[in-house]
Amino acid sequence: MSGTTSTAPHFPDLTPDTAPPAARRSLEQVTRHLGYLPSAAARLAHSPQLLDGFLKLTALFDTTDLDPLVRETVVLTIATRNGCHLCVAMHTAQLTRLAAEPELIAALRAQQPLPDARLESVRRFVHSALDHTGAVPDSDLADLLSHGFTPRNALEIVLGIGAYTLSTFANRLTDAPVDPRLAPYA
C-alpha cells in the first residue's frame, strides 16, 4: 500500500486452523461463499470482532433497497477515495460480473464524473457525506433525491459508507495484497 514501511509482517494470513477461535467460523463462511479465502479476510481475522462486524454490515448493506449497481457505486467510490487497491480490484470484478458499462467502471476507478446521471448523484452524495462528516448540505441531499432516491436510500448509502470505510481502512492497515484471481482487475 502507500505507507513507507509494510505492516504486513504484523498481520500474516490466518486460516481457519490458525485464526483465533472466534474468527474460524467466519473464515469458513467466506471460503464457502467465494470458493477461496481472500488474503484480506485472512488478515482481518486477527480481530474476530472486526471480521464479524464487516461481514454483518456488508450482509445488511446487501439487503437494502439499493440495487446492486448503486451499491457497487458506493463501494468503489469509497475504495478509490481511500486508496484501497485490493478493494478497487475486488469491486471492479464485481461490477464486471454485473455487466456494468466499461465507461462507468473506468470513471469510478479514475474518480471522475460518471456517465450515468443517477449513479453520478450517488457518487457525489458519498463524497458530500464524507466531506461534511455526515452533515450533508440540503442541496446535495436534494440532488440525490431528485434522481429517484429516497431519504431511506440516503441512510442506506451511509450504511455502505460505514461498512466499506471499515474494510478499506483495515485492508490498508494490514497491507492486504490483491489475490491472484483478482489481479486482472487491479
Side-chain angles (χ1 to χ4, degrees):
M1 297 284 147
S2 62
T4 56
T5 60
S6 174
T7 58
H10 300 286
F11 302 101
D13 287 7
L14 300 175
T15 67
D17 294 330
T18 62
R24 292 177 182 165
R25 181 171 293 165
S26 293
L27 289 180
E28 290 166 353
Q29 172 191 352
V30 168
T31 303
R32 276 191 309 277
H33 178 71
L34 297 177
Y36 76 106
L37 180 59
S39 186
R43 292 179 184 203
L44 296 185
H46 285 275
S47 170
Q49 295 81 2
L50 186 138
L51 178 60
D52 185 53
F54 172 67
L55 294 174
K56 287 177 179 174
L57 286 172
T58 58
L60 288 170
F61 186 55
D62 288 347
T63 66
T64 65
D65 286 345
L66 302 171
D67 67 63
L69 198 52
V70 170
R71 290 193 310 265
E72 287 302 317
T73 297
V74 171
V75 177
L76 200 47
T77 299
I78 296 292
T80 57
R81 181 180 170 117
N82 291 345
C84 181
H85 304 296
L86 161 66
C87 304
V88 169
M90 186 176 297
H91 293 282
T92 296
Q94 181 62 21
L95 281 164
T96 301
R97 283 190 292 278
L98 291 172
E101 294 293 326
E103 297 81 14
L104 172 69
I105 296 170
L108 278 165
R109 289 174 59 104
Q111 300 184 57
Q112 298 297 314
L114 306 182
D116 178 299
R118 183 171 180 268
L119 295 176
E120 173 59 12
S121 74
V122 171
R123 188 187 76 83
R124 285 192 310 264
F125 182 80
V126 169
H127 283 287
S128 182
L130 291 166
D131 290 346
H132 300 283
T133 58
V136 174
D138 289 340
S139 60
D140 292 351
L141 178 58
D143 178 56
L144 180 74
L145 300 177
S146 76
H147 286 89
F149 294 99
T150 65
R152 174 182 176 158
N153 296 147
L155 290 171
E156 292 170 339
I157 291 169
V158 170
L159 172 63
I161 291 169
Y164 288 95
T165 296
L166 174 90
S167 70
T168 58
F169 282 20
N171 288 331
R172 291 194 65 185
L173 175 65
T174 65
D175 204 15
V178 174
D179 294 304
R181 63 179 60 194
L182 294 175
Y185 304 99

